[in-house]
Amino acid sequence: MPVLEISDLIIARDPVTGARLPVRRDHVIDQLTAAGDHRAARIVARIPVRGEHLDPHAVDRLLVRVHTELQRLTEELHMAQRFAELLVPLLDVLRAHGHRPRVVDIGCGLGYVVRSLAASQVLGHDVDLVGADFNPALVAEATRLAALENLPCTFVCQDAFALAEQATVYLSCGVLHHIPVDRLPDFFAAQHHAQAFVHYDIAATTLAPFGAWLFHRARMREPLGRHDGVASARRAHPDDVLRAAARIDGMDTFLFEPPRHTNPFCASMRPVVGLAPALTAEFRTALGRRAKGLVR
């Protein structure tokens, strides 16, 4: 049976215009029940409706709460520091090649990674930091938080690949497992014009679902977040799938810190890294001893 995440089912958008579409609660419950996930069906049954459709405002408030909890998990996993470890030497190499650093976070949610990088200014003062997400409620909250913190970053409710100014580097955190296997090659191919990408996601280890259950049970209170956290680990793409999908023309691609070097009891995060071939040797040098973690 397919592994479904509630958050993927309770919002629908027109594939052409991106406009939000109404979602019938009974249809979502039927999908989850057919997949054998009765617990998820009960969670959805508690979401308020307007008539027969899920109340969009209630859904937005729920997702903001869940992403607020996810922000805490992202902080505990030191995701901003993990990105900085790769981005600092990468941007130095890009500058040496005459590229102005513009980093775009795909599916940024509340923008924790972008806001953290902006707050620390670890990437330098010349970096253009942008978070892109299709959910206007999450983008609005990310924008509000950045304004409160007076941070030099921008959030947009838009397709990250359709921005007026293209990215130099794309990044994402916990997005890849939401993309079906047959659409992964298109996701990576859409980044062919960039100089690099860094996409962190859950390593598909045997014990990752248990690690995710333990971690989310201890740190999250929203039932939807607890459910989807474990489902995410179960949906994580194996290494061979990611390697095959990420092989696009004009990019050298690697896994960084593959699962055999991580604690198998945790839902470990590790990235797929893509580099324009002209950057690869210099990036390895700039990365120093950590370059041994780049595995083709």
Side-chain angles (χ1 to χ4, degrees), residues 152-170:
C153 54
T154 305
F155 296 97
V156 295
C157 187
Q158 196 174 342
D159 183 346
F161 302 134
L163 302 179
E165 186 176 354
Q166 294 180 342
T168 313
V169 180
Y170 284 109

Side-chain angles (χ1 to χ4, degrees), residues 244-265:
R247 291 193 188 105
I248 59 176
D249 292 339
M251 283 280 185
D252 292 337
T253 56
F254 308 87
L255 289 178
F256 187 65
E257 296 183 333
R260 66 176 179 274
H261 298 309
T262 62
N263 184 347
F265 288 95

Side-chain angles (χ1 to χ4, degrees), residues 97-207:
H97 281 254
H99 297 287
R100 183 176 72 84
R102 178 175 168 82
V103 178
V104 175
D105 184 358
I106 304 168
C108 66
L110 295 186
Y112 172 76
V113 169
V114 168
R115 288 188 289 110
S116 295
L117 294 172
S120 69
Q121 298 190 340
V122 66
L123 302 184
H125 297 280
D126 62 333
V127 177
D128 190 6
L129 286 166
V130 180
D133 200 290
F134 283 119
N135 189 311
L138 298 180
V139 169
E141 182 65 4
T143 301
R144 184 185 73 84
L145 293 170
L148 282 176
E149 299 160 357
N150 195 28
L151 298 176
C153 54
T154 305
F155 296 97
V156 295
C157 187
Q158 196 174 342
D159 183 346
F161 302 134
L163 302 179
E165 186 176 354
Q166 294 180 342
T168 313
V169 180
Y170 284 109
L171 59 86
S172 71
C173 184
V175 168
L176 294 180
H177 68 268
H178 288 280
I179 304 172
V181 172
D182 60 347
R183 289 171 50 197
L184 274 174
D186 291 338
F187 171 80
F188 285 107
Q191 302 168 65
H192 72 279
H193 58 267
Q195 294 298 309
F197 57 72
V198 180
H199 297 296
Y200 264 97
D201 206 14
I202 301 168
T205 61
T206 304
L207 294 174

